[in-house]
Every structure is written in structure tokens, then in C-alpha cells.
Amino acid sequence: MRDVWRDGNFAEYANVPLENCNPLDETKLCQTLGYTHHDLMYLSYLLVPYGGLRDIGVQPGDTVAIFPATGGFCGAGVAVAASMGCKVIAMGRNEKEPARLKEYVHTGKAGAVIETVKITGDETKNAEALQAVGPIDAILDLSPPAAVNSTHLKSALTGLKYQGRISLMGLVDFSLPSWRVIGNGITLKGKLMYSRDDMIQFVKLLEKGLLPHGANLVDVKTYGFEQWKEALEVAAEHMGIGRLVTLYHEHGTSRSAKDVV
């Protein structure tokens, strides 16, 4: 990393492995569907939960519990799962963000079914709340290290169907009741981000117009490279569900996809 990719995307011209690049239909995405090049940078968020959902074979019509659903990646996961035709149960501690999440996903995809459940810390009450809107076919967990003492995964496990699936993408060592996992034939799969094949399939999903169109996809704020300090300060606040800050290097008077970071 130090020798080859040291500057990453903060370089004027970024070096990237060719095998990690995928062509995008610029005419369809930017003209027909109304995305800007900056909007499409949100793929870096959307692809992560998509990798986990695809890894456990989530299908249209499935009910998927996603938590904690108020962050950038989890919130993106709700939008992706809804676009895949799933009913989504979004769990989070923050009461305002789930409400904004529901509005955000409905704005982008008419008919999306989103239920929200507050993580209270009470395992039994959370389990009852989930069972009231379940049963659950699959779980996507993106818990941060700070959630190490949370019981929300145990609560969700009680509402998971026989032979249900769990995608573990978070950074927490949860203690789960082995008897419930074994007795109900639960599949646990770990997933780190996404594969090349996930990228290829997700681009197809995007180009077919199954995700929110144009500005409904993401609220993006853009800054030139010379405004890097202001951009980083804004990014510390402009975060969470459907929000993004991008930097760009402008060549002449036009901005192209290759200039956006």
C-alpha cells in the first residue's frame, strides 16, 4: 500500500488496479436516470451491504432485518434491500434517523415496505417488537465495535425463521445461543465488503433503474481539492443515511467521472 497506492484517491491522477474497474453506461446513468458523477460515488456505500445481502442469497419477497440501520452503510443497506424487492426491518437506537430512513427509501422507490424497530437494550422487548413485524428470513449485521454489549442480534435471532440466514459484516464478537443456531439450522456467514462479481451484478441493478433515481439516491455536497479542509469538516456532520461529501479535481472547465473522488 505504501509503495504503490500511497496517495489513493487524493492524488491528482489515481492509480487503481485494472481488475477492480467496471465500465458504467454513462448515457443511461447520467442522462436517462439523472445521476451526476458525484451521485455515483455513493456506490462505495451501497456495494458493501449488497455484498452481504447477496452472500446469503437474499431474494425478492424476503423479510430482512438490518441493524444498526441509522449509519451510512446500514442505511444504504436498507435502500439496497428495498430495491431488491425485500421487506426491510430497520433497527436503530436513534429515533429520528429511522423516520428519515423510511422517508428516504419511500421517496426513491414507491411501494417499498420498511418497518422500524428501536433498539432499547431490553432483549425481550426487542424480540417481541421484531416478532410483531416478522417473521424474518435473513439478517444483515453491520454493528460497530461500540455495540459489543448490545443484545440486538440475540433479539433478532428469536424472530428468524427455521433455516434463516445471517450475514455478519460488523466488527463485534457476539455471543449467540448455540442451541438456537443449531436447532433451527441457522446459516452464519462472514463477509468483508464485496467481490468483483458483486460489483458486476450491482451495476446491472443500478443501470436497470431499480434504485432511487437522480437526486433521490443521495444528498451529495461537492468540493474542489483546494477546499479539502472545509470538505472534511462538512463530512464530519453531513453523514449517515443517503448523505455524502465528494472532492473533485477540475481539468479546464469540464468535470468528468475520472475527476471525482
Side-chain angles (χ1 to χ4, degrees):
M1 291 293 291
R2 180 175 59 247
D3 295 336
V4 182
W5 317 115
R6 180 175 61 87
D7 296 320
N9 282 345
F10 284 94
E12 182 175 349
Y13 293 97
N15 293 317
V16 296
L18 186 60
E19 63 270 21
N20 285 1
C21 297
N22 287 284
L24 299 177
D25 188 331
E26 187 173 12
T27 300
K28 181 175 290 185
L29 292 173
C30 296
Q31 295 182 22
T32 304
L33 297 176
Y35 299 118
T36 68
H37 296 135
H38 294 274
D39 294 338
L40 294 174
M41 295 305 297
Y42 196 49
L43 268 67
S44 62
Y45 275 91
L46 297 168
L47 274 165
V48 173
Y50 179 72
L53 293 168
R54 189 165 182 261
D55 194 47
I56 56 173
V58 167
Q59 301 291 328
D62 280 350
T63 295
V64 183
I66 299 178
F67 45 75
T70 54
F73 290 107
C74 294
V78 174
V80 170
S83 297
M84 293 170 69
C86 299
K87 173 184 175 180
V88 183
I89 302 173
M91 295 183 70
R93 293 184 183 279
N94 186 316
E95 294 190 58
K96 293 182 179 179
E97 284 295 277
R100 189 170 74 82
L101 171 66
K102 207 166 183 178
E103 180 181 357
Y104 161 65
V105 176
H106 273 281
T107 297
K109 185 162 181 64
V113 181
I114 311 293
E115 301 283 355
T116 58
V117 173
K118 188 178 188 303
I119 297 176
T120 62
D122 186 313
E123 184 178 339
T124 302
K125 287 184 178 179
N126 277 156
E128 291 172 350
L130 285 166
Q131 290 166 14
V133 294
I136 302 167
D137 296 289
I139 292 171
L140 176 64
D141 170 67
L142 284 145
S143 299
V148 64
N149 294 318
S150 180
T151 60
H152 57 267
L153 183 54
K154 288 182 180 179
S155 297
L157 187 61
T158 65
L160 197 59
K161 286 182 179 178
Y162 179 73
Q163 293 189 334
R165 299 97 72 200
I166 302 177
S167 177
L168 298 173
M169 301 190 77
L171 301 172
V172 179
D173 289 329
F174 282 115
S175 173
L176 295 177
S178 57
W179 60 269
R180 187 180 293 277
V181 173
I182 295 169
N184 288 334
I186 304 302
T187 297
L188 297 166
K189 294 191 73 175
K191 180 75 171 183
L192 178 63
M193 298 182 71
Y194 47 87
S195 66
R196 175 171 174 77
D197 192 52
D198 292 333
M199 288 191 286
I200 293 170
Q201 293 302 316
F202 187 79
V203 168
K204 291 180 181 179
L205 191 82
L206 182 68
E207 291 181 345
K208 285 182 171 57
L210 296 177
L211 273 91
H213 296 179
N216 287 329
L217 181 70
V218 59
D219 176 12
V220 58
K221 297 184 183 295
T222 65
Y223 295 88
F225 267 16
E226 69 282 358
Q227 299 172 293
W228 62 268
K229 185 175 182 180
E230 181 183 356
L232 292 175
E233 290 173 349
V234 171
E237 300 294 332
H238 189 70
M239 58 191 299
I241 303 160
R243 290 172 175 162
L244 184 68
V245 173
T246 66
L247 291 169
Y248 68 88
H249 181 79
E250 191 167 356
H251 296 285
T253 57
S254 64
R255 298 179 194 174
S256 65
K258 68 181 181 182
D259 302 326
V260 184
V261 223

